[in-house]
Amino acid sequence: MHEFGFTSLNGFMWGCGLALFHRVIKIFPYQAADIVLYGVVGVVLSRYCLSDVRASLPANKPMTSAQVRVRGFFLGWAFSVGLLLFEQGTYYNFGIYCCILSFFHYSEFFITSLINPETLALSSFLLDHSKEYGIAAAASVLEFFAEVYFFPELKQIKYVVVLGTLVCLLGEMVRKGAMLTAWNNFTHLVRDRKVEGHRLITHGLYSLCRHPGYAGWFWWSVGTQIILINPICLVGYALASARFFQSRIYYEEACLLSFFSDYSEYQKTVPRTGVPFAEGYLEFRNN
């Protein structure tokens, strides 16, 4: 395991500790402490984590423990905000969303530090996944609060929130299960060249579908919009995620077919990719 896995855990736990500290400072009748802790701290952390995430990753400059710790702290802070919003009640489903979103990004880094420390980087947090990913996240928050203002009763359908939470948890477990099953064969970036020791994984979750990691991520992303009860983003997320993974799976399988002579047989044995509408690169059909 990479030492920065423990560094990130340290930061994440300190960030989560803000929720406990908040309990202590509630002895004061003013809300100024809330503003300082969750307003100013949040702005500073997000500015640091998100504004320099690309700039801090030149090929000849490794990540530092401070960069890892502050990102872990930022995600722990977001998790603690979610806990407090859930407890507060009015925006309880947004609180669940904050917890699930922050834990997903943190656990991506931590699990990578465990299974494939050689590939660990700041990008393993997936905070800089893509510009489209950031726009989608912003759109979901915007839709949520717009609908809270115009249609407040829409956001209070608790059984829908419970359903979304279960979908997210299932997606999270499937994705992390896929990462742990593949172990050091799992990477966040598609390999276009075979490396020494790269093996084809066909057991466990990979015996049920060919891309459980993508399947888990797809259902997790859809589940976040069910939690928020965002009808517009729910459709948008489902279509955009399916299209993204369809393209990625097609390219990845074209590479895998060149790496492993038995991959075509594996495709026949396990016909499902796990992602709706994504068939993959089926060489036996293309020929």
Side-chain angles (χ1 to χ4, degrees):
M1 181 175 182
H2 199 290
E3 61 179 314
F4 282 169
F6 293 109
T7 302
S8 68
L9 180 61
N10 177 273
F12 186 79
M13 295 304 295
W14 274 104
C16 290
L18 280 177
L20 298 177
F21 184 61
H22 181 274
R23 286 283 192 176
V24 176
I25 64 175
K26 272 300 184 180
I27 60 176
F28 298 105
Y30 305 105
Q31 300 299 314
D34 292 359
I35 298 174
V36 171
L37 281 176
Y38 295 99
V40 177
V41 173
V43 169
V44 171
L45 286 174
S46 61
R47 179 175 178 80
Y48 179 86
C49 290
L50 302 179
S51 64
D52 78 333
V53 70
R54 294 182 187 278
S56 61
L57 287 172
N60 61 346
K61 183 180 179 182
M63 59 184 170
T64 66
S65 60
Q67 290 172 324
V68 172
R69 187 175 289 108
V70 76
R71 284 163 176 77
F73 186 86
F74 168 68
L75 292 170
W77 167 85
F79 191 90
S80 69
V81 168
L83 291 176
L84 293 170
L85 287 173
F86 176 76
E87 182 184 42
Q88 185 265 345
T90 303
Y91 302 112
Y92 74 97
N93 50 342
F94 191 76
I96 296 173
Y97 168 77
C98 288
C99 289
I100 285 177
L101 183 67
S102 58
F103 183 78
F104 172 82
H105 285 284
Y106 169 71
S107 60
E108 287 288 311
F109 184 91
F110 184 80
I111 295 296
T112 301
S113 75
L114 175 66
I115 65 173
N116 204 342
E118 291 79 12
T119 65
L120 190 68
L122 289 180
S123 58
S124 300
F125 282 110
L126 299 184
L127 291 171
D128 60 334
H129 179 266
S130 66
K131 184 181 295 183
E132 292 77 12
Y133 184 80
I135 292 174
S140 69
V141 173
L142 179 62
E143 181 185 350
F144 176 81
F145 284 105
E147 290 172 352
V148 163
Y149 181 80
F150 291 106
F151 314 105
E153 67 283 352
L154 175 67
K155 304 299 182 180
Q156 301 302 315
I157 310 175
K158 292 188 177 181
Y159 72 86
V160 176
V161 178
V162 172
L163 174 63
T165 302
L166 292 176
V167 172
C168 276
L169 292 177
L170 178 61
E172 179 77 62
M173 288 189 293
V174 169
R175 178 164 175 82
K176 295 311 186 288
M179 294 175 71
L180 292 170
T181 300
W183 204 249
N184 63 351
N185 297 284
F186 186 97
T187 60
H188 281 124
L189 299 177
V190 176
R191 287 172 170 163
D192 55 6
R193 287 178 293 180
K194 188 177 181 180
V195 299
E196 184 178 356
H198 188 187
R199 297 183 298 111
L200 176 61
I201 305 300
T202 60
H203 64 276
L205 289 170
Y206 290 86
S207 66
L208 303 177
C209 62
R210 300 198 302 273
H211 298 276
Y214 294 150
W217 194 350
F218 171 85
W219 289 110
W220 174 88
S221 68
V222 170
T224 61
Q225 300 313 297
I226 299 176
I227 289 174
L228 295 175
I229 315 181
N230 282 350
I232 298 174
C233 280
L234 174 59
V235 175
Y237 268 54
L239 293 176
S241 296
R243 181 177 181 182
F244 169 76
F245 287 122
Q246 181 182 35
S247 174
R248 190 177 177 100
I249 289 172
Y250 186 87
Y251 175 71
E252 182 170 327
E253 292 205 328
C255 295
L256 289 171
L257 282 164
S258 68
F259 298 164
F260 305 104
S261 58
D262 55 344
Y263 192 80
S264 180
E265 188 61 34
Y266 171 60
Q267 288 178 309
K268 297 175 183 177
T269 305
V270 183
R272 296 178 297 275
T273 64
V275 177
F277 312 114
E279 290 189 341
Y281 187 96
L282 303 178
E283 188 177 50
F284 59 89
R285 287 191 187 178
N286 295 332
N287 292 334

